[in-house]
Amino acid sequence: MFILRALPRRPDCRPHRRSRTHYRTHYPNNAGFTLLEVLVALVIVGTALGASLRAVGSLTQNSSGLRAAMMATWSAENRLTQIRLGHEWPTIGNRSFACPQGDLPLQCEEKVSGTPNPYFRRVEVAVFASANSERRIVNLSQVVPNAR
């Protein structure tokens, strides 16, 4: 490799044939990386790749949990909106029904209770991961007026 600018003369440098101001450097003992340096670099790169793969896996798990929470919230909001827009006066008590969203099988439990004011009722909708699951994903509530 030729260096295009003038360098100070060093004992291991020979003058270039065409000009005395340009020098060609020769480093016979430093022509590459040692095996130890290459192995250390591979260990560092491997550790970084392993950490990044673990982070991507964690993000994937969080993504599926967020998707389930979003779908469960939609199911509960759908039922509460249905009551509100239909001007329903739900009966006091509990009921359970399937409320799937997309390919996610969800189970909703609706609990209707009275309030101190007899013209209002409190409706709570809890959404579970499946029919036999104890894992509640979301719980929404609203107060419904008697529109009749």
Side-chain angles (χ1 to χ4, degrees):
M1 175 184 342
F2 295 103
I3 299 176
L4 298 177
R5 64 191 134 147
L7 296 174
R9 186 169 175 103
R10 294 179 40 191
D12 60 343
C13 295
R14 292 186 302 222
H16 192 270
R17 290 182 187 162
R18 293 185 190 156
S19 167
R20 291 184 176 246
T21 58
H22 295 289
Y23 295 93
R24 186 179 352 178
T25 59
H26 293 284
Y27 299 106
N29 294 336
N30 297 330
F33 297 106
T34 65
L35 180 61
L36 182 62
E37 291 171 336
V38 171
L39 290 177
V40 168
L42 284 175
V43 167
I44 292 170
V45 168
T47 304
L49 287 175
S52 64
L53 285 176
R54 185 172 178 177
V56 167
S58 176
L59 288 174
T60 303
Q61 279 184 328
N62 289 342
S63 173
S64 65
L66 289 174
R67 180 179 177 270
M70 180 182 62
M71 298 271 194
T73 302
W74 285 349
S75 290
E77 286 178 348
N78 284 347
R79 177 58 187 143
L80 294 175
T81 303
Q82 182 182 15
I83 292 170
R84 187 173 55 248
L85 292 179
H87 301 292
E88 294 181 24
W89 183 243
T91 59
I92 294 176
N94 298 333
R95 74 181 193 111
S96 182
F97 55 94
C99 54
Q101 287 289 325
D103 60 344
L104 194 62
L106 299 173
Q107 186 71 20
C108 291
E109 289 185 8
E110 180 180 287
K111 178 183 176 186
V112 181
S113 57
T115 62
N117 187 338
Y119 296 106
F120 292 97
R121 292 205 173 143
R122 178 184 171 97
V123 179
E124 289 185 39
V125 178
V127 182
F128 295 87
S130 63
N132 57 1
S133 176
E134 295 293 324
R135 180 179 164 249
R136 181 176 66 195
I137 300 173
V138 71
N139 187 25
L140 297 179
S141 64
Q142 97 178 3
V143 176
V144 178
N146 187 358
R148 296 180 189 170

